[in-house]
Amino acid sequence: MRSTIGILLALLGLFAVTSIPATDNWPTPPATVEPVPAQISGPLTGGTADHSKFEALKKPFASGPEVTKACLSCHTETGKHFMKNIHWTWEWRNPETGQLLGKKHLINNFCTNARGNEGMCAQCHAGYGWKDESFDFTNENNIDCLVCHETTGTYYKMPNNAGSPACTVMFEGKPPIDLALVAQSVNLPQRANCGTCHFNGGGGDNVKHGDLSSALKSPTRQLDVHMGVDGLNFACTACHVTKQHIWAGSRYQLEAKDHNGIGKPGQRRDVATCESCHGLEPHPVDSLAAFKRNDHISSLACQTCHIPEFARGGIATITDWDWRTAGKTRNGEGYHEHGYTQGNGEHRYTYKSIKGTFTYGENLVPLYRWFNGQMQYTTIDTKFDVTKPVAINDFTGSRDDGRSRIWPFKQMRTWMPADIGNGTLVYSHLWGEDTDSYWGNYDMGKAIAHGMKEFGLPYSGQFGFVETLSYWPITHMVAPKENALTCENCHSKNGRLNGVEGLYLPGRDQNYWVDLIGVIAVLGTVLAIISHALIRIFSSKGAQH
């Protein structure tokens, strides 16, 4: 019976897309297209103003907030809109779970926590000067307009306060920013603008997500069919469409199964799903295989077939991180070691005294599981068994809930500090000029005690390390359709979906009667198509049939 199913899958494969190429065929260099085309920004493509002609910007600026004040003199309501988005608040309450989330509160299994380390971490906050709890979230002039809108590529952000000399050395020698020149260059956000933070989340290029790296600044169509400069050349906002500076698409509130599809009169603004552009039947029904692919939409996320691998383009992602090894010194000083050369030829650190040991991977096959869009987080007050792995951000879903589909994920594993006595995660004080900051004294006990005391949290005084897991839905680096998965990639004994439960998968699973019914159904459909074609061929011209 299994051989029969294999034949049928092969028959369907005649109408299906071709097999994915070997991983070493994925391109690593950026695309070069002359002249460089303008990125497509969805409903806001194009512009109506040349900011280099604005008198308000033709003057020297002493600081970023001065530039923002000039911006708001024309864009009078933008500040009020912007301060409602998560890029500003770093805070979001999940209406289903009640959890208070966002970088302002959460612990992650990369650099552990932003709270208490804002002087360093808030470089990626869309504002100026957030270094502690005194930051004024109501002051519009604290908004950083330039990080999203400048186009010179010369703008950068420094830490908001000083840290240990061992760390601040990495920011020495930066050229001064010509704020007037940068301000006059503003335009719609480009991939490089968003990538300033999102490509470098977790402490380095492609460290966190696995599908967001600097390779997407100027990618080929082979790396990402939407963003390729030799293809559609989409900016991020082509999918993450914006209304009053609120972006569609969030890791905290993800629509795993879009039931609405394309909006009217065109693109929807409330989601960043594949269906919002491609509809609920994205494959033209010109073959039996295309019909079956559309039928799979109810159970498979588009990303499952169309992102066969992540961490492509020559930029590796971290898969394992071990804080237990951090703190080693040589002659009293911290050090780092190169031990991995990624696809584009660049060397990556495999050890840093301030962070521990890293393991990298490229061209990785995702983990596939049922997902209903609901992520669940282990927060600072969550109690857990310290002897078992802890899912820092987990997900829910099953075939039976009506909201789930099979999605691809990156799984990240980290050994990180915790309060062993209380069975909770901890806020570690990493960045600062004081003697308690870990990135200077390499004393984890002092760093934890400081971080917990700063926010009035209970701490047993007994710290250790726990194994943690995090999961990141894969949604970028969409391959061209000719490189999508084929039937055989999943419908086989050792296929992609081996670990997915709750479904009967022909080719993977075996039940005589179910297989027999399936074979009869497929053969009946094929025979019906052939019979209909023969009738049309041999009927008299114009005859009814």
Side-chain angles (χ1 to χ4, degrees):
M1 184 63 68
R2 187 173 303 280
S3 61
T4 306
I5 291 175
I7 294 171
L8 290 175
L9 290 174
L11 178 61
L12 288 173
L14 293 175
F15 302 96
V17 293
T18 57
S19 299
I20 60 172
T23 55
D24 58 5
N25 288 333
W26 291 114
T28 55
T32 53
V33 177
E34 297 293 343
V36 178
Q39 292 180 28
I40 305 300
S41 301
L44 299 178
T45 297
T48 60
D50 180 353
H51 285 70
S52 67
K53 298 179 180 178
F54 287 3
E55 292 299 323
L57 302 178
K58 291 182 178 180
K59 62 179 183 181
F61 294 100
S63 67
E66 285 189 17
V67 177
T68 299
K69 189 173 181 180
C71 297
L72 295 175
S73 67
C74 289
H75 300 277
T76 57
E77 305 306 304
T78 298
K80 299 179 182 65
H81 296 157
F82 188 86
M83 288 193 293
K84 296 178 182 178
N85 76 50
I86 199 169
H87 286 77
W88 175 254
T89 64
W90 272 20
E91 183 176 271
W92 184 78
R93 188 175 293 280
N94 189 317
E96 294 193 27
T97 66
Q99 286 186 311
L100 187 61
L101 307 175
K103 290 182 176 65
K104 193 175 182 180
H105 304 285
L106 283 177
I107 294 179
N108 61 71
N109 61 353
F110 298 92
C111 291
T112 70
N113 52 284
R115 196 165 198 194
N117 299 309
E118 292 90 351
M120 175 66 169
C121 298
Q123 287 179 93
C124 272
H125 179 249
Y128 293 112
W130 185 9
K131 59 185 178 181
D132 53 38
E133 296 290 295
S134 66
F135 181 73
D136 187 358
F137 284 91
T138 67
N139 185 350
E140 295 182 6
N141 292 332
N142 282 339
I143 296 171
D144 183 354
C145 305
L146 296 176
V147 71
C148 295
H149 290 281
E150 76 89 21
T151 59
T152 67
T154 63
Y155 183 73
Y156 58 86
K157 300 187 74 167
M158 295 286 286
N160 293 317
N161 65 2
S164 165
C167 293
T168 54
V169 66
M170 70 181 77
F171 301 102
E172 293 178 355
K174 289 278 190 180
I177 302 171
D178 186 337
L179 288 172
L181 174 68
V182 170
Q184 292 172 37
S185 78
V186 301
N187 208 319
L188 296 174
Q190 308 290 288
R191 289 187 298 272
N193 295 107
C194 302
T196 298
C197 291
H198 290 286
F199 295 164
N200 294 287
D205 196 353
N206 205 25
V207 163
K208 182 191 292 186
H209 297 289
D211 62 344
L212 286 170
S213 76
S214 61
L216 295 176
K217 288 182 180 179
S218 184
T220 62
R221 178 180 175 273
Q222 282 290 315
L223 178 57
D224 191 289
V225 73
H226 298 115
M227 297 189 237
V229 298
D230 52 347
L232 296 172
N233 197 28
F234 281 178
C236 302
T237 51
C239 293
H240 296 276
V241 291
T242 312
K243 183 177 182 180
Q244 295 184 336
H245 277 84
I246 305 294
W247 288 267
S250 168
R251 299 283 179 177
Y252 298 121
Q253 192 175 34
L254 198 152
E255 188 157 358
K257 190 173 185 178
D258 189 339
H259 293 279
N260 297 319
I262 299 173
K264 295 179 180 180
Q267 197 172 39
R268 294 164 59 194
R269 291 181 180 271
D270 60 321
V271 294
T273 64
C274 303
E275 293 87 348
S276 66
C277 285
H278 295 282
L280 301 179
E281 295 182 353
H283 306 101
V285 183
D286 54 6
S287 68
L288 178 61
F291 174 81
K292 287 304 297 177
R293 284 198 294 269
N294 281 338
D295 185 54
H296 281 53
I297 295 298
S298 63
S299 299
L300 292 177
C302 303
Q303 295 89 329
T304 295
C305 292
H306 289 276
I307 310 178
E309 295 172 340
F310 64 93
R312 304 201 326 268
I315 311 293
T317 189
I318 289 181
T319 57
D320 291 86
W321 186 324
D322 195 342
W323 277 87
R324 295 175 299 180
T325 63
K328 298 176 184 177
T329 60
R330 291 174 178 169
N331 300 320
E333 298 291 334
Y335 66 95
H336 50 257
E337 297 173 349
H338 285 115
Y340 183 89
T341 303
Q342 62 188 13
N344 67 357
E346 293 183 6
H347 300 289
R348 301 292 292 266
Y349 295 122
T350 52
Y351 179 79
K352 287 186 177 182
S353 296
I354 62 172
K355 294 181 179 181
T357 305
F358 317 114
T359 302
Y360 295 89
E362 297 179 65
N363 305 313
L364 299 172
V365 173
L367 171 76
Y368 300 100
R369 293 293 184 269
W370 290 104
F371 179 45
N372 63 14
Q374 181 63 66
M375 300 296 295
Q376 294 182 326
Y377 293 84
T378 297
T379 59
I380 189 67
D381 54 357
T382 305
K383 298 275 189 177
F384 52 81
D385 184 347
V386 298
T387 66
K388 298 179 180 179
V390 181
I392 284 208
N393 67 321
D394 206 349
F395 56 91
T396 60
S398 74
R399 179 172 185 159
D400 301 323
D401 62 18
R403 298 169 52 195
S404 296
R405 293 190 297 178
I406 298 169
W407 271 71
F409 289 88
K410 173 193 169 181
Q411 178 183 275
M412 172 80 182
R413 187 183 308 273
T414 303
W415 283 90
M416 59 185 298
D419 183 341
I420 300 300
N422 288 329
T424 65
L425 297 173
V426 293
Y427 285 147
S428 304
H429 178 54
L430 304 177
W431 176 266
E433 297 175 89
D434 55 85
T435 58
D436 289 344
S437 60
Y438 186 74
W439 291 347
N441 68 8
Y442 303 111
D443 188 329
M444 187 61 75
K446 278 188 176 181
I448 294 173
H450 181 114
M452 299 298 275
K453 182 180 179 180
E454 183 176 358
F455 297 100
L457 296 168
Y459 176 47
S460 70
Q462 180 185 1
F463 84 89
F465 294 87
V466 294
E467 182 181 9
T468 67
L469 299 171
S470 64
Y471 299 91
W472 304 92
I474 299 296
T475 60
H476 307 94
M477 297 188 175
V478 178
K481 62 182 180 181
E482 59 268 20
N483 299 130
L485 297 184
T486 64
C487 304
E488 295 87 347
N489 292 125
C490 299
H491 291 276
S492 60
K493 191 63 176 175
N494 297 307
R496 294 283 185 113
L497 303 186
N498 254 4
V500 179
E501 300 176 348
L503 79 163
Y504 183 86
L505 196 64
R508 183 195 72 173
D509 305 316
Q510 190 169 15
N511 180 287
Y512 178 82
W513 293 108
V514 173
D515 290 347
L516 180 61
I517 293 171
V519 169
I520 293 173
V522 173
L523 285 176
T525 303
V526 173
L527 289 173
I529 293 173
I530 294 173
S531 299
H532 185 74
L534 291 174
I535 291 172
R536 291 182 63 88
I537 292 171
F538 293 106
S539 293
S540 301
K541 187 175 182 181
Q544 298 295 317
H545 60 276

